[in-house]
């Protein structure tokens, strides 16, 4: 039985919910005050993807804010087949950084499967980006947009299933 293995990067500014997203998807849990380990951390999750009729082993990498160290960055990006670019509904700088994150992923990994994720949609009343702005950026960058609430576990699995499908098509 040859399962497919897919290394997925989760990138974006600090505080947007990257660690929470990985833990939510891989372990099904959410905590507000999770203590991060320093350096690169990864979790594994096996999921049968109906659309592929195959089990995919997702290797989920989280840099825990250590992206500024080149040696760590290289290890982190090496062999990735897909990437999530995440920003937060309540953090304008994280939205403004999306294009930079896409360039960085392309520079390190080439043309891999990428999805744009707007997290913390439960905080829509504190939104600092409009729905139109987000949709315009997604279109401009050629990325499929997912709106997630990692806190409530909304739309999270869908992101990873999409990336597995897109990765196979590439
Ligand atoms: P990272 O720095 O990008 O890895 O972000 P974290 O995963 O550490 O999350 C930063 C903070 O945002 C934490 O307090 C999380 O509990 C919180 N958070 C993550 N996802 C959501 C969400 O969907 N809604 C809300 N309200 N908070 C979230």
């Amino acid at each position: 039985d040859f399962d497919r293995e897919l290394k997925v990067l989760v990138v974006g500014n600090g505080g947007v919910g990257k660690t929470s997203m990985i833990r939510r998807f891989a372990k099904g849990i959410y905590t507000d005050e999770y203590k991060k380990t320093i350096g690169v951390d990864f979790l594994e999750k096996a999921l049968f993807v109906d659309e592929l009729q195959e089990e995919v082993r997702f290797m989920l990498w989280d840099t825990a804010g250590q992206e500024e160290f080149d040696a760590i960055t290289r290890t982190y990006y090496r062999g990735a087949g897909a990437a999530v670019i995440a920003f937060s509904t309540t953090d304008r700088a994280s939205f403004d950084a999306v294009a930079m994150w896409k360039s960085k992923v392309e520079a390190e990994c080439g043309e891999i499967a990428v999805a744009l994720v707007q997290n913390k949609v439960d905080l829509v009343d504190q939104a600092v980006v409009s729905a139109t702005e987000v949709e315009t950026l997604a279109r401009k960058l050629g990325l499929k947009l997912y709106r997630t609430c990692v806190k409530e576990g909304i739309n999270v699995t869908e992101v990873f299933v999409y990336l597995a499908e897109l990765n196979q098509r590439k």
Side-chain angles (χ1 to χ4, degrees):
D1 185 29
F2 297 92
D3 289 344
R4 244 153 50 81
E5 206 177 281
L6 179 61
K7 176 174 173 178
V8 183
L9 312 173
V10 182
V11 301
N13 285 9
V16 301
K18 302 184 296 296
T19 298
S20 304
M21 186 180 303
I22 290 169
R23 283 162 53 81
R24 166 62 82 190
F25 176 62
K27 297 182 160 186
I29 54 171
Y30 175 85
T31 37
D32 271 316
E33 69 305 292
Y34 172 70
K35 277 257 182 340
K36 292 183 181 190
T37 53
I38 297 303
V40 176
D41 205 1
F42 90 97
L43 285 177
E44 214 182 301
K45 161 88 174 173
L47 183 74
F48 187 85
V49 178
D50 288 331
E51 292 83 347
L52 299 176
Q53 281 299 298
E54 194 174 27
E55 184 170 81
V56 177
R57 276 208 299 142
F58 292 90
M59 319 291 280
L60 306 153
W61 289 63
D62 181 11
T63 54
Q66 302 295 298
E67 295 90 343
E68 65 268 33
F69 300 107
D70 271 359
I72 289 176
T73 303
R74 236 162 280 131
T75 311
Y76 181 61
Y77 284 83
R78 187 181 303 132
V84 171
I85 299 177
F87 69 96
S88 163
T89 302
T90 60
D91 179 351
R92 182 73 208 188
S94 74
F95 174 73
D96 293 336
V98 163
M100 180 280 288
W101 284 112
K102 181 169 184 269
S103 300
K104 185 157 179 168
V105 167
E106 280 172 1
E108 299 285 340
C109 307
E111 297 279 308
I112 59 170
V114 177
L116 181 62
V117 171
Q118 174 175 11
N119 187 38
K120 307 195 189 184
V121 293
D122 56 307
L123 302 177
V124 70
D125 55 330
Q126 300 166 44
V128 292
V129 285
S130 74
T132 311
E133 257 183 313
V134 173
E135 283 150 23
T136 302
L137 181 67
R139 205 174 312 118
K140 186 179 142 202
L141 297 178
L143 300 177
K144 181 154 179 184
L145 170 68
Y146 283 88
R147 293 189 168 97
T148 64
C149 175
V150 166
K151 186 174 183 174
E152 306 294 340
I154 296 164
N155 232 5
V156 177
T157 301
E158 286 82 347
V159 174
F160 293 95
V161 166
Y162 167 72
L163 287 173
E165 291 169 12
L166 190 56
N167 168 263
Q168 205 199 36
R169 273 188 265 134
K170 280 192 181 262

